[in-house]
Amino acid sequence: MAILWRHSALAHRHAEIGGELEDWNGMGTAWFYDHTDERAKADYEAIRTKAGLMDVSGLKKLHIVGADAAYVIDRCTTRNVEKIAPGRAVYAAMLNSDGKFIDDCVIYHLAVNSWMVVIGTGTGMESLTSVAAGKNCSVLFDDDLHDMSLQGPKSVDILATQIPAIRDLAYFGIMQTRLFGRDVMISRTGYTGERGYEIFCRAKDATHLWDNILETGGDDVRPTQFSTLDMLRIESYLLFYPGDNSETFPFADEPCGDTLWELGLEFTVSPGKEGFIGAENHYAMEGKERFKIYGVQLTDSMDQMEMHARVMNGDKDVGVITYGLSSELNKYSVAIARLDPSVAKAGTKLTVVQPDGTKLAATAEEMPFYDKDKSVRTAKG
């Protein structure tokens, strides 16, 4: 049984609608409000067609402040932080000295010498605190800061009733403001591949904001369970550590650890950047991919591809399904897979063998499956 050492101020709201609080990053998180397919479908379709409100406070929020703050972040992440203007954020990767992925994060430049790094479930926090030791900066783990994710095409309309200027907030932009009379930071970010916002607030304000967002949104918004993210991220090519990684799908004869080239995350490295942890080994491993994260789509079926299903090319085992989605809304069954590089090419014919032995015809396809040109998540106005 996991030891839950973090607490969401919204736990009582989740419990009131049947939420089962399970461990994520040390915090009790509402993975499910109920386990029915109807609930999962409704939450997924709400975010794709209207709006969903989700408690993602289990993310780790680190304030990094001081003269050496930028250096510490630059050393630990793949982005050139000198290019991030105040009021902007960027997605980045973090590596170990072997050049293998250990975490991803969003870097927020709040003001001069003031940054926030929001981290997932890897060891990014440990990397940042280690590099910060002895430097002229402070690293504060802020667990009072809560994070609500309001995602979906109606999210901007809901917020605009209180903050008209929200319509002008650019993708990965940051706004310091007040919402329903409470201090908040709102960022144009999310983990759904949809237009959406993350609302950072004090723990004591979380319930007030949660209730008012749901009341203001009415039929256009619903609380959504955390597991909905898996459905949304699959079709949007958003990886989840360690779910898509070798920590879950280990190599037979070598330790865990994946390269950015294998994960398709090499775009997170700023052009020409050197000096970040693992940089030399990262560049040296280009072209040496043992597998490639790639998409798989069924051709004759809407069955959902199951986690750990094997992927075959003829008689050759060429990979494994990490997560699958069958979407009635978008009329496809798609999945993220770890494939042999030789078959990670659009149109390659494959067979997915489910854990029960069922065989399903499929093809390899480029991701994302949804919002391929990112026009939805970056929409203006």
Side-chain angles (χ1 to χ4, degrees), residues 172-188:
F172 274 86
I174 304 167
M175 176 184 288
Q176 306 285 353
T177 185
R178 289 175 69 81
L179 178 63
F180 298 110
R182 301 293 193 271
D183 294 343
V184 296
M185 184 182 87
I186 300 177
S187 63
R188 179 83 182 269

Side-chain angles (χ1 to χ4, degrees), residues 10-11 13-24 27-41 43 54-55 222-231 304 323:
L10 293 167
R13 284 291 182 263
H14 302 316
E16 287 168 358
I17 54 176
E20 299 178 14
L21 300 185
E22 299 180 18
D23 173 54
W24 181 62
M27 180 176 284
T29 301
W31 282 89
F32 297 97
Y33 290 134
D34 68 50
H35 289 270
T36 64
D37 291 341
E38 289 77 11
R39 176 78 204 202
K41 178 175 180 283
D43 284 0
M54 190 179 307
D55 180 11
R222 61 186 277 135
T224 55
Q225 54 196 20
F226 189 74
S227 57
T228 308
L229 286 176
D230 269 337
M231 304 173 71
Q304 181 166 314
Y323 286 85

Side-chain angles (χ1 to χ4, degrees), residues 204-278:
K204 67 179 184 179
D205 296 329
T207 301
H208 173 80
L209 291 165
W210 179 272
D211 291 346
N212 276 276
I213 290 169
L214 292 175
E215 181 179 352
T216 299
D219 292 338
D220 285 337
V221 65
R222 61 186 277 135
T224 55
Q225 54 196 20
F226 189 74
S227 57
T228 308
L229 286 176
D230 269 337
M231 304 173 71
L232 298 159
R233 73 177 188 83
I234 290 164
E235 59 185 357
S236 303
Y237 193 8
L238 298 168
L239 303 185
F240 184 74
Y241 180 87
D244 299 305
N245 301 83
S246 54
E247 283 75 6
T248 301
F249 301 91
F251 301 107
D253 53 359
E254 53 186 296
C256 294
D258 306 322
T259 72
L260 297 184
W261 309 105
E262 293 166 338
L263 298 173
L265 295 178
E266 66 273 10
F267 72 90
T268 65
V269 181
S270 294
K273 183 176 180 182
E274 300 177 348
F276 59 93
I277 295 173

Side-chain angles (χ1 to χ4, degrees), residues 284-354:
M285 286 185 285
E286 182 178 9
K288 300 176 182 177
E289 295 84 6
R290 298 158 295 178
F291 71 94
K292 292 283 287 185
I293 287 284
Y294 210 73
V296 173
Q297 182 168 346
L298 297 186
T299 56
D300 303 319
S301 169
M302 284 288 290
D303 291 358
Q304 181 166 314
M305 289 174 271
E306 297 183 28
M307 188 177 184
H308 296 289
R310 302 308 305 180
V311 183
M312 307 294 292
N313 178 231
D315 295 330
K316 182 181 179 183
D317 189 319
V318 292
V320 62
I321 300 296
T322 66
Y323 286 85
L325 164 72
S326 178
S327 170
E328 293 179 13
L329 182 68
N330 290 320
K331 296 179 173 57
Y332 52 42
S333 178
V334 295
I336 296 173
R338 293 166 65 92
L339 298 182
D340 187 288
S342 65
V343 300
K345 301 178 178 65
T348 303
K349 291 184 178 181
L350 303 168
T351 301
V352 175
V353 182
Q354 301 276 55

Side-chain angles (χ1 to χ4, degrees), residues 355-378:
D356 67 0
T358 301
K359 296 182 178 180
L360 305 169
T363 57
E365 299 293 344
E366 291 185 356
M367 297 187 288
F369 300 103
Y370 175 78
D371 190 26
K372 290 181 179 295
D373 60 359
K374 298 187 179 180
S375 60
V376 172
R377 67 188 81 177
T378 62

